[in-house]
Structure formats: structure tokens, C-alpha cells
Amino acid sequence: MLLLCAKDLITLTAEDVITMNKYLQSFLRFFKKEPTTEPVKEPSKNVALVLGGGGARGFAHIGAIEALEAHGYKITSIAGTSMGALIGGLYACGKLEKAKEIITGLTRKKILSLIDISPGLNHIATADRITQLLSELTGDITIEKLPIPFCCVASDLVSGKEFVFDNGSLAQAIRCSISIPGFFSPVHLDDHVFVDGSVHNALPLNRIKRQEDDILVAVNASAPEDPTLAVPKVNTQEDTDFWKKMLHKLPLIKDKLSDNVLMMALRLCQIVVETNTETSLKIAPPDICIDVPINRYDILAFDKGKEIIEYGRKEMEEKLQKVAPA
């Protein structure tokens, strides 16, 4: 740049000043970073939804789904285990509302009829009636033809490994995933023997199909105990009568055998499920997660459908309000 002395400045014309100003402005723009004008990106409303196992506590999945939809979220993929496979699969094929009608109408008498007690060497109930109901709800639809990408998890007793269903019959995949070991009869399919997926992966966060802009949302229906709650006990006369009716359907069962035998077995299952769920959460932490503590509702509290659904809705509502932009 030309340096001017005081004498030169006196002889400058107006045209010279304008020219120098142009050069100065160009010089400053070269070193000045222009502010960005990119619009602020809105948070994504696409949801990759993972629904965990937990027996009747899994009814909370319905309320959680309803809350997500009420807030304008779009479920773009689903992965589930056990009850999560059931609710997620029925949502994916458009039958969740019908399933909700059935669930909220369950009584203990209806539960006993659905359980289909028929003891064998490896089960207490065959679940034939549940399988029939599943087929009626889903028809012959296959997983690959669902409008929403879906998968569910089962455990293969032959290989000892987790098995992911992402194609084939939806009803059959769900039936494999909900086969509580020792309670429902296992499903024999080809060279596999399938039981409940919660044995390996109760909250399949690592199996969900993701999209670039989605958020990962989970419903953990086997969360650790809430210390502020009492451990659920079968202690009312109604509860006692219910368990006795179930146990008395079994051969070789004497009156002196306590219903606590079944409760102890279920408690052991809960501990296993809770442990592998905690592992899943560490491997693939979700963006949003609601918990249903194992001592909030009993695993077999199928007659509390309305209450558990509402609990799931309330918990998801609270989470969504916390993450909503100001």
C-alpha cells in the first residue's frame, strides 16, 4: 500500500479519497469472516423405538407410544423383546388399538383362560390360545412387509445365542420372543428351540435400525427397584386365590405347596433380566429412556392394564417436556 506523507494528503482530490476508501474496504473484507446465515436446525422428530421385556409392566409401552405420537413424534423403526416384541409388532402392523382393547379388558378369569395351563416336561402352559390370538390380530403378514422396520429378539436354546427376527412371519417371531422359559412351551423352528429373548437381550438397543436424523428412545420395563416402593407381594385374599387356582391346575401339586415357589422363580428371572438390561444401556445409551421399576408392578399383573398404560404415558410425557426446546 502506498504510504502518504502529510504534504501528499493536502493535495488529494475527492476522487482520490473515494478510490482509497474502496481499496480499504476490500482490504478489510479480505480479513473479516462474514457471519453465517444458515438457519437453526430443528430437533428431529423421528424416533427409533426400543421396547424391553418385563411381562405385564410392558403394557407401559402402549402409553409411551401414545405420548410420543401426541407430541408429534414419528416412529420410524422398532426393536423389541418379549412384551416389547408383542406391543412393538402389533403397533408396526397397525393393530395396537385392537390389542389395547383386549388388554384393558383383561380380568383374572380371562388371564387364566388365556394362559392355557397344560404342563409338560419343559413348560407349565402351551400358550396355544395366545398364539391363536396373535394370528388373528396379525394375519399372515411378514416382518419385511411391515410399513415400519421391525425386529425382535429370542434366545436359541440349541446354540445358546441370541437370535434376531427381522424377516418371516410376524406372529411366529413374536411367539418365539415371549416364550418365558419354564412357563410357556418353547418354539421349535427348524434346528432352533426358541425361548424368551430377555434371556440374552431384554432391551435390544443394539438391534434397532437407525436413520441419520433419528433419536433413540427406549422403554425399560425391567428397571432396577425403586427404593421408595414396597416390593410387590402376593398378600391379599384375592391374590392368594388367583395363585392357588393357577397352581391347582398343575398335576402332583399339593395344597401345602406355597405359591411362593412360582414367585421365587419369577424373581430369579427378574434379576437376570435387570442385569442384562443394565449392560444394554451401557453399550448403547438412548437419548430418551423411561423406566418401569420391577417393584412398581408385578410381572404377572396383567389385570392392571389401564393403570400400567397410564403410567407409561405419564412417564414419557414428563421426559418429553424436559427435552422440549424452550
Side-chain angles (χ1 to χ4, degrees):
M1 178 180 289
L2 181 64
L3 297 177
L4 302 175
C5 64
K7 182 176 69 175
D8 295 324
L9 288 173
I10 296 173
T11 61
L12 286 177
T13 66
E15 186 178 350
D16 292 331
V17 173
I18 293 172
T19 301
M20 289 180 64
N21 183 59
K22 288 181 179 179
Y23 281 120
L24 180 61
Q25 292 297 324
S26 297
F27 178 78
L28 292 175
R29 280 197 297 270
F30 180 78
F31 289 99
K32 181 181 178 181
K33 185 179 180 181
E34 293 295 328
T36 59
T37 57
E38 294 181 5
V40 178
K41 188 177 181 181
E42 291 292 329
S44 175
K45 287 279 190 175
N46 292 333
V47 169
L49 182 63
V50 181
L51 305 175
R57 291 188 298 273
F59 289 161
H61 300 326
I62 299 175
I65 289 172
E66 291 176 344
L68 284 167
E69 291 189 326
H71 281 259
Y73 288 86
K74 179 182 178 183
I75 298 171
T76 53
S77 60
I78 304 174
T81 296
S82 197
M83 184 60 78
L86 176 63
I87 300 300
L90 291 174
Y91 175 82
C93 71
K95 297 295 182 180
L96 187 59
E97 195 59 37
K98 179 61 179 178
K100 182 181 177 181
E101 291 178 17
I102 296 171
I103 289 168
T104 54
L106 285 176
T107 62
R108 295 193 168 191
K109 185 177 180 180
K110 289 181 180 179
I111 294 167
L112 283 172
S113 66
L114 274 175
I115 287 176
D116 205 15
I117 300 290
S118 181
L121 294 176
N122 58 4
H123 64 271
I124 293 174
T126 61
D128 287 344
R129 292 173 189 171
I130 293 177
T131 302
Q132 181 183 350
L133 182 58
L134 264 176
S135 297
E136 291 173 0
L137 287 171
T138 64
D140 58 358
I141 192 168
T142 58
I143 294 174
E144 54 267 35
K145 290 185 178 179
L146 292 171
I148 302 173
F150 170 82
C151 72
C152 65
V153 173
S155 296
D156 182 12
L157 294 180
V158 176
S159 67
K161 296 180 180 180
E162 174 185 356
F163 189 96
V164 180
F165 287 91
D166 55 10
N167 62 77
S169 167
L170 175 63
Q172 189 173 65
I174 294 172
R175 173 64 179 87
C176 291
S177 188
I178 66 173
S179 299
I180 302 172
F183 191 82
F184 287 135
S185 58
V187 178
H188 295 256
L189 185 60
D190 298 328
D191 296 326
H192 306 280
V193 179
F194 292 114
V195 296
D196 197 305
S198 293
V199 173
H200 278 100
N201 196 348
L203 192 64
L205 290 158
N206 60 330
R207 301 302 181 188
I208 187 77
K209 292 182 179 179
R210 302 293 303 274
Q211 295 184 1
E212 185 177 352
D213 65 339
D214 65 20
I215 58 175
L216 184 59
V217 178
V219 181
N220 180 9
S222 294
E225 290 185 355
D226 182 345
T228 66
L229 299 173
V231 177
K233 297 178 180 179
V234 182
N235 53 9
T236 67
Q237 186 60 47
E238 183 183 8
D239 288 329
T240 301
D241 290 344
F242 175 71
W243 291 111
K244 283 183 176 179
K245 286 177 182 178
M246 181 182 291
L247 290 170
H248 288 173
K249 288 177 176 285
L250 306 180
L252 306 178
I253 294 296
K254 305 298 181 181
D255 289 345
K256 64 181 180 180
L257 181 61
S258 170
D259 46 82
N260 285 333
V261 172
L262 180 57
M263 293 304 294
M264 181 179 68
L266 291 172
R267 175 62 175 157
L268 290 173
C269 289
Q270 287 177 338
I271 293 171
V272 172
V273 170
E274 181 184 342
T275 301
N276 71 42
T277 299
E278 289 178 353
T279 301
S280 295
L281 288 167
K282 291 176 182 178
I283 293 173
D287 300 301
I288 298 173
C289 181
I290 70 167
D291 294 330
V292 187
I294 59 175
N295 62 333
R296 169 66 67 175
Y297 296 104
D298 188 87
I299 194 172
L300 296 179
F302 296 110
D303 58 326
K304 299 185 184 299
K306 289 181 180 179
E307 182 181 340
I308 299 174
I309 290 171
E310 186 55 37
Y311 177 85
R313 179 185 293 105
K314 179 180 70 69
E315 290 295 305
M316 184 59 77
E317 288 276 358
E318 291 180 1
K319 288 285 185 179
L320 295 178
Q321 288 172 7
K322 289 179 182 179
V323 301

